[in-house]
Amino acid sequence: MNNELILLPSVTYAMKAKGILDQYKIRSYIQRTPKNTGIRSCGYCLFVPGKADEAENLLRTKGIRVLGRAKREEL
Amino acid sequence: MIYLDNSATTYPKPPGVIRAVHNAVQNYGFNPGRGGYRSSLRTAQKVYEARQTVRAFFHAPLVESVIFTASCTQALNTVVKGVLKKGDHVIMSSFDHNAVARPIHRLQQEGIISYSIAQVDINDDNATIENFRQLINERTKLIVCTHASNVFGFRLPAERLCALAHSYGLLFCLDAAQSAGLLPIDMQRDRYDFVCCAGHKYLYGPMGIGVLLIGNDNDVLPLVDGGTGSVSDELIMPSFYPDRLEAGTVNISGIIGLQAGIEFVNRQGIDRLYERENRLIRSLSKELSAFRHIRVHGQSSLTEHQAPVLSFGVEGTDSETVVKYLSSHADIAVRGGLHCAPLAHRSMNTIDTGTVRVSPSAFTTQNDMRSLVNSLRKFR
């Protein structure tokens, strides 16, 4: 699976985005934006296993500012 | 103690608020929006839930437009200093608190802005609206006014003033320090641009927490710059709310306590709280008006124009002397002086003596008021 992380500007947006996805029964997990994303600044992202494309479209439709997508690195 | 100074801060706090603050200190002592570990995220979740509670209570358009501040004063300063630019003109009311008047006056003294003060007619909203309208000029950018006078309880026609501001393309800021939790505020219905609230008054939260609600797309410059946990590689503040206006670590126990306070107000019912406290004030006003040595100041003849606050004076005595007497003889806590609102006192010709202010809360009883009346009966 690629680019399962949806990058967001702040923890408030991450919470709001997760709340929206919860309403649509799409599982997601908030985490800090990892360093491999090309984004140097601090931030938060949503890990959306298997449904990141759908989730991103949904969030954009709902007016959530999405900064981009990134691949999740296994720990 | 019989505590009747709730316009300064409500006391006691509901048990749920005390529990929430305790819980916050004990279990949510982690920095939200900074770390990725579980406790930080749990704390961030609590802050987000509090934002949702505030958003729903005021019908704010977006959860991210709920800004937590240290006080209502800080929220008002953020609007005044973050919106007004060189050459702008602002109008405030003749009943505004120093939290509004001082930052505006300072900007004027520094040659940045100009301002006008609109006279409020306590029994005639049409006259008040007209007074504001006549002060609008081509440089006017903002109308800011109190929702209810913290001294006399007069309620200003905020919804109509907001509509007036918008009809001239101006922004409108509501100082809801005394009204939030007592008078319904609906940001979406009334299209307020900014609403500033104290968390520790009639929202029953702890001290040290306030709220700024933003209802438009205008850029507000930050009052304080600093770390936000977002876009940290840049030396400028984020462009998005709430981060743009929330530099530094937020007041977690204040926020969680405020949420519990709002839940208390919701359970009690805002209309019920208002009616109950207004009934206490009406009854007190009637009793005090019967005393020849007491003058009740400016209770509006229209009940709907009044928030539950009463000011009075005792003939031949300054307000602080009365306050001292009530405290030492009956352990009754009321506030004397000018209540940080000299404009209001000038409007009511009480600037020299000040007034004694009585303000009940959800926990005030008829017996409390009776004790006050009995003590004042003896005072000469």
Side-chain angles (χ1 to χ4, degrees), chain B residues 227-256:
Chain B
T228 58
S230 52
V231 288
S232 300
D233 61 324
E234 294 180 8
L235 290 178
I236 56 169
M237 288 293 283
S239 59
F240 48 87
Y241 299 131
D243 299 40
R244 182 163 180 72
L245 301 177
E246 279 185 2
T249 300
V250 291
N251 176 358
I252 297 297
S253 55
I255 290 168
I256 293 176

Side-chain angles (χ1 to χ4, degrees), chain A residues 9-63:
Chain A
S10 73
V11 75
T12 305
Y13 280 89
M15 297 283 171
K16 186 174 183 179
K18 181 172 170 26
I20 290 168
L21 296 184
D22 284 349
Q23 285 174 15
Y24 289 89
K25 313 280 187 225
I26 296 175
R27 268 188 313 133
S28 64
Y29 305 90
I30 297 173
Q31 61 178 66
R32 289 285 277 179
T33 302
K35 282 291 168 202
N36 67 331
T37 57
I39 291 179
R40 282 178 299 154
S41 65
C42 306
Y44 287 80
C45 61
L46 282 184
F47 168 42
V48 189
K51 291 186 178 174
D53 289 342
E54 182 190 351
E56 182 187 348
N57 285 331
L58 197 53
L59 294 177
R60 287 188 187 277
T61 306
K62 297 287 180 185

Side-chain angles (χ1 to χ4, degrees), chain B residues 68 103-104 117 143 196 260 303 310 342 370 372 376:
Chain B
F68 290 120
I104 286 175
I117 299 171
I143 289 177
C196 301
T303 305
L310 180 142
R370 206 165 289 132
L372 175 65
L376 287 169

Side-chain angles (χ1 to χ4, degrees), chain B residues 58-130:
Chain B
F58 293 101
H59 305 277
L62 297 167
V63 71
E64 56 267 33
S65 59
V66 174
I67 315 294
F68 290 120
T69 62
S71 61
C72 186
T73 297
Q74 187 181 321
L76 287 162
N77 269 262
T78 300
V79 174
V80 167
K81 294 170 184 169
V83 168
L84 296 174
K85 297 192 171 55
K86 178 96 179 152
D88 287 340
H89 172 253
V90 57
I91 304 170
M92 61 180 151
S93 87
S94 59
F95 281 93
D96 272 295
H97 189 275
N98 274 345
V100 170
R102 280 183 170 169
I104 286 175
H105 184 71
R106 188 175 141 201
L107 291 183
Q108 187 258 355
Q109 291 286 293
E110 291 172 353
I112 298 168
I113 65 158
S114 58
Y115 71 85
S116 304
I117 299 171
Q119 290 301 312
V120 174
D121 187 322
I122 62 170
N123 289 311
D124 187 348
D125 283 351
N126 288 327
T128 299
I129 300 287
E130 195 49 36

